[in-house]
Amino acid sequence: MTTLLPRLPRRTGAGLLSSARPLRMLEALATPHGIDRYLELVSPLLTVRELRAAVVDVRRSTADSVTLTLRPTRQWRGFQAGQFVSVTVDIDGVRRTRCFSPASSQHRADGLVELTVKAHADGLVSRYLFEHARPGLVVGLSQAGGEFRLPAQRPRRVLLISGGSGITPVLSMLRTLCDEAERGEYDGEVTLLHYARSASDVPYTAELDELAGRDNVRIVRVYTSDDSGELTGRLDESHLAAVAPWFAEGETFVCGPASLHDAVRELYETRGIAERLHVEEFRPSLPGIADPGTATGTVTFARSDVRAANSGATLLEQAEAAGLRPEHGCRMGICFSCTQVRTSGCTRDVRSGETNSDPDTEIQLCVSVPVGDVELAL
Amino acid sequence: MTITLTEEQVDELGRELDAIRQRIVDDLGAADRDYIYKVIKAQRALEVGGRASLFLGFLPPFWLGGVAALSLSKILDNMEIGHNVMHGQYDWMRDPAVNSKMFEWDNVCPADQWRHSHNYMHHTFTNVLGKDRDIGYGVLRMEDAQKWNPYYLGNPIYAFLLMMLFEWGVMAHDLEVENIIAGRRTWAETRELRRGQHRKAGRQVLKDYVLFPALTGPLLLSTLTANATANVIRNIWAFSIIFCGHFPTGVATFTEEETENESRGQWYLRQMLGSANITGGPLFHIMSGNLSHQIEHHLFPDLPARRYPEIAPEVRAICEKYGLPYNTGRLSKQLGSVYKKIAKLALPFHRDGGVDEAAVRIVRTEAAAA
């Protein structure tokens, strides 16, 4: 998921290596930097191995969201409706990566990928894309990932539930199923139940109206700040009974804020049909940043599969106390031997006292102390 | 010359230098990224241009131009890009292309081995005799305190050979051959290192001495000579800049006892006293990888090197404030004093306080107010 770590050169896939021998020859000539490090200086889209994408269209459909259409480079292997990709941009010199779910159909004929990004007040990447994205911008792209997707054997009845910007992966599912229905490959029934603050907060209004007119498709919009929607209030069993009385026999896919997830999950668990529920969990829950100086929380060394209570010492000392032997050198923040990726959580730099909680950030273990829960890739 | 500073003064000096570092860290951004990419672009263009013009190497101007471009490319790659990137100066960009752990340079020494011997051993234990293996690289006598023996009569010859073969010397440095000879290390322990060196050097040799020469067909020998020349020019340049960093007259060395339980301020002090700068224009600074600002580099090895000229006047002012030397001079002066030292120390009778000028000693007094 992170583009921070080196992607090992792939020798398979993409068909571009049908001429593997000349490519290997070029790599030998381009050692130690690799061909892409030369080609990208000519054009960032010329890369042989790295996947990137050019923004070809930008639309701002609501006051705080932007819809980008991307043309991935030829390494792109496509996605399945519901999956996410990570997008990388350089903001003030720093490479930032965030995950977004494509909203387009996985069968889109022109191969383009559509992302709708909601600009969050403290969302560095989403705000950057909202403010600065324009046709021609080149972004880093990852291959699609994630288990939130339609089963290969399409369910007869599909209930899609989304809240706010969580509409994108379920819209992708809806569009994909509609494309399949058009080709005669799917004849099931799909219902989309979408929650938003108001009608003006919903991107894709025109398209949803169009899709709602199709056979076997039902689209219900609910607005939490007014009564202009088809239903009112927050999700409860009566909403499900009204829009998809068959929900206990169909498959349900949910993406939205944690409160929506919790409400649906509770309902399905009470009914004993939790296995019919599929939830997109990729949105990282931001941990509350603890007061620096008081040692709380747990340090997780993910690769080593070791957990330890935060002792308040530096992460290097804590790793060693937990029996790990991470590479290190000076133990004073000079040599960078102990740099590791902090996948989540907040740490404080003992030299400057500054705290930082960006996900997937490289930190020097010897001068970083955890503030609350921290997970390292170590 | 002996300078007396109180512990409070040393702590204060540490805080002042910390403040400079923090100010630059807070200011890092797009301009630093643009800069390093501009240098990378120049380096890659010089490399491609140099290699291309060797296809016309039968015409002397193209051969010479090719050698010049390739030499400049290798110098930029190793110094302003490689050395600085591998210090982690651009890790904050989170860009794999300029990340200290992922970067490889156009040099036979594997990046990971160099990072250990340089970033850790040399930068942590700068000029500490017995710990900083960069003092003489295990083959030269560069300090009075290194005990003389007849082997050192060859000091100038070893220095010349090291200069010509510098990249190979830097690679072999990690094997710690002198420790193997002294019985502190076994040959078997170097197996992993040798495997890495074999792999990295193999690729470099294949590229410079087999593939590119072969591609130029009948010009095979001409291209091979050109590539070898470029490698040697880079070796001479890197050796000269690096030896000017710590060995000119007046640069201090330290003992292990002196540096036990050092405070941050004391560590800064040792870095300042143990390094020397070279004066020159902006282009000279870039070609030296800004190691012409060795003092600033040793104080802040993880700040992007393009910032060193910017903070140099402040560092110099701090030195003046505390009466500390700020060792700087023209390349010819610094290099001259290094050559003189190499020649003099070949002989046995230059020992403590001998003809070699007195190094600065710091007496650390207990807090006067205590």
Side-chain angles (χ1 to χ4, degrees), chain A residues 10-282:
Chain A
R10 302 191 66 91
R11 297 229 179 262
T12 56
L16 66 123
L17 301 184
S18 50
S19 50
R21 189 155 301 161
L23 190 69
R24 217 149 54 216
M25 170 76 169
L26 281 175
E27 289 282 19
L29 294 173
T31 194
H33 303 304
I35 304 169
D36 282 353
R37 295 282 90 83
Y38 292 84
L39 292 178
E40 70 183 0
L41 299 176
V42 179
S43 159
L45 292 170
L46 263 184
T47 51
V48 172
R49 301 198 188 281
E50 278 181 26
L51 170 60
R52 289 176 187 174
V55 174
V56 293
D57 186 46
V58 177
R59 277 179 298 135
R60 289 180 174 76
S61 45
T62 71
D64 62 355
S65 71
V66 61
T67 298
L68 310 175
T69 309
L70 304 181
R71 183 193 304 284
T73 49
R74 60 219 159 101
Q75 298 85 345
W76 174 242
R77 296 199 292 269
F79 72 103
Q80 294 178 49
Q83 287 190 306
F84 60 81
V85 294
S86 64
V87 172
T88 302
V89 288
D90 293 311
I91 305 174
D92 197 21
V94 184
R95 188 153 287 199
R96 308 273 179 182
T97 300
R98 294 293 183 277
C99 297
F100 300 101
S101 302
S104 43
S105 163
Q106 70 181 58
H107 303 302
R108 189 169 162 149
D110 57 11
L112 303 185
V113 177
E114 187 182 291
L115 303 178
T116 289
V117 177
K118 182 170 192 254
H120 293 280
D122 50 358
L124 207 55
V125 174
S126 63
R127 233 170 349 116
Y128 177 86
L129 289 173
F130 179 72
E131 287 165 15
H132 301 286
R134 46 174 177 69
L137 175 74
V138 174
V139 299
L141 190 69
S142 73
Q143 298 291 355
E147 293 306 310
F148 184 68
R149 55 189 180 200
L150 291 169
Q153 181 65 49
R154 305 300 197 212
R156 291 280 310 131
R157 284 166 159 171
V158 176
L159 172 58
L160 306 171
I161 305 176
S162 58
S165 56
I167 193 170
T168 56
V170 297
L171 179 61
S172 172
M173 291 176 171
L174 177 61
R175 286 165 149 182
T176 298
L177 291 173
C178 285
D179 280 354
E180 290 172 5
E182 242 170 51
R183 294 193 221 153
E185 293 165 7
Y186 181 71
D187 58 358
E189 188 176 340
V190 192
T191 296
L192 167 62
L193 175 57
H194 179 64
Y195 292 83
R197 218 172 18 231
S198 69
S200 63
D201 288 312
V202 182
Y204 298 105
T205 297
E207 182 160 7
L208 289 176
D209 290 342
E210 189 271 314
L211 290 172
R214 302 200 180 195
D215 293 341
N216 299 327
V217 175
R218 178 154 189 215
I219 293 175
V220 177
R221 281 160 276 193
V222 188
Y223 307 119
T224 50
S225 69
D226 59 59
D227 294 342
S228 65
E230 222 172 292
L231 297 167
T232 55
R234 298 186 179 275
L235 178 135
D236 60 21
E237 194 160 352
S238 72
H239 283 192
L240 301 190
V243 303
W246 41 259
F247 74 93
E249 284 86 49
E251 297 291 328
T252 301
F253 298 84
V254 185
C255 183
S259 57
L260 182 73
H261 289 184
D262 294 344
V264 182
R265 190 177 285 126
E266 199 189 318
L267 221 146
Y268 277 59
E269 276 169 6
T270 316
R271 298 275 308 248
I273 50 170
E275 80 284 353
R276 298 202 168 265
L277 183 63
H278 312 273
V279 179
E280 171 56 294
E281 303 275 19
F282 83 82

Side-chain angles (χ1 to χ4, degrees), chain A residues 3-4 6 25 28-29 31-33 37-38 41 90 92-96 327 329-330 332 334-337 339 351-352 354 358 361-362, chain B residues 21-22 26 29-30 33 41 44 47 77 87 91-96 99 101-105 119-120 124 207 211-212 215 267 301-302:
Chain A
T3 58
L4 204 69
M25 170 76 169
L29 294 173
T31 194
H33 303 304
R37 295 282 90 83
Y38 292 84
L41 299 176
D90 293 311
D92 197 21
V94 184
R95 188 153 287 199
R96 308 273 179 182
E327 183 190 346
C330 68
M332 55 193 293
I334 303 163
C335 73
F336 284 79
S337 304
T339 302
R351 295 168 300 177
S352 64
E354 276 185 13
D358 286 347
T361 300
E362 295 196 324
Chain B
R21 178 179 185 280
Q22 194 57 45
D26 292 342
R33 180 191 173 83
K41 219 165 179 168
R44 305 282 146 92
E47 183 181 358
D77 179 279
H87 258 293
D91 279 8
W92 57 272
M93 281 167 50
R94 303 184 195 168
D95 181 342
N99 180 279
K101 297 244 155 157
M102 296 173 212
F103 191 84
E104 259 296 352
W105 56 352
N119 289 10
Y120 170 46
T124 311
K207 168 181 77 162
L211 292 179
F212 276 111
L215 277 177
W267 183 83
D302 60 342

Side-chain angles (χ1 to χ4, degrees), chain B residues 152-323:
Chain B
Y152 287 121
L153 283 171
N155 223 26
I157 298 163
Y158 311 144
F160 177 76
L161 290 175
L162 181 60
M163 176 172 80
M164 300 303 282
L165 300 169
F166 196 54
E167 64 171 331
W168 298 95
V170 169
M171 181 184 85
H173 192 41
D174 287 298
L175 299 175
E176 303 184 27
V177 176
E178 76 278 14
N179 284 333
I180 295 172
I181 293 169
R184 287 187 291 265
R185 185 177 164 89
T186 66
W187 184 242
E189 280 175 53
T190 63
R191 203 165 144 246
E192 271 307 302
L193 291 175
R194 279 182 284 128
R195 189 177 295 175
Q197 294 176 357
H198 192 257
R199 195 168 43 228
K200 178 71 196 294
R203 286 184 193 148
Q204 291 291 118
V205 167
L206 181 70
K207 168 181 77 162
D208 277 344
Y209 301 128
V210 180
L211 292 179
F212 276 111
L215 277 177
T216 55
L219 296 176
L220 187 138
L221 270 182
S222 141
T223 308
L224 191 142
T225 324
N227 293 352
T229 310
N231 276 323
V232 169
I233 290 174
R234 182 269 327 274
N235 287 348
I236 295 173
W237 180 255
F239 171 93
S240 304
I241 296 295
I242 288 160
F243 268 59
C244 283
H246 298 292
F247 306 132
T249 302
V251 170
T253 51
F254 307 84
T255 62
E256 284 188 52
E257 299 83 71
E258 276 180 295
T259 56
E260 265 172 29
N261 301 316
E262 251 179 356
S263 68
R264 181 127 183 106
Q266 288 165 346
W267 183 83
Y268 272 139
L269 202 55
R270 174 158 56 86
Q271 300 301 332
M272 292 167 105
L273 296 176
S275 311
N277 283 5
I278 315 168
T279 55
L283 193 62
F284 171 74
H285 290 314
I286 293 173
M287 295 315 291
S288 77
N290 274 300
L291 290 181
S292 48
H293 289 94
Q294 190 76 239
I295 298 172
E296 288 74 20
H297 173 57
H298 264 266
L299 291 173
F300 311 115
D302 60 342
L303 290 185
R306 70 180 278 266
R307 301 290 195 146
Y308 296 152
E310 177 185 333
I311 58 177
E314 294 173 66
V315 172
R316 194 166 188 160
I318 289 177
C319 283
E320 275 164 21
K321 179 175 160 190
Y322 294 98

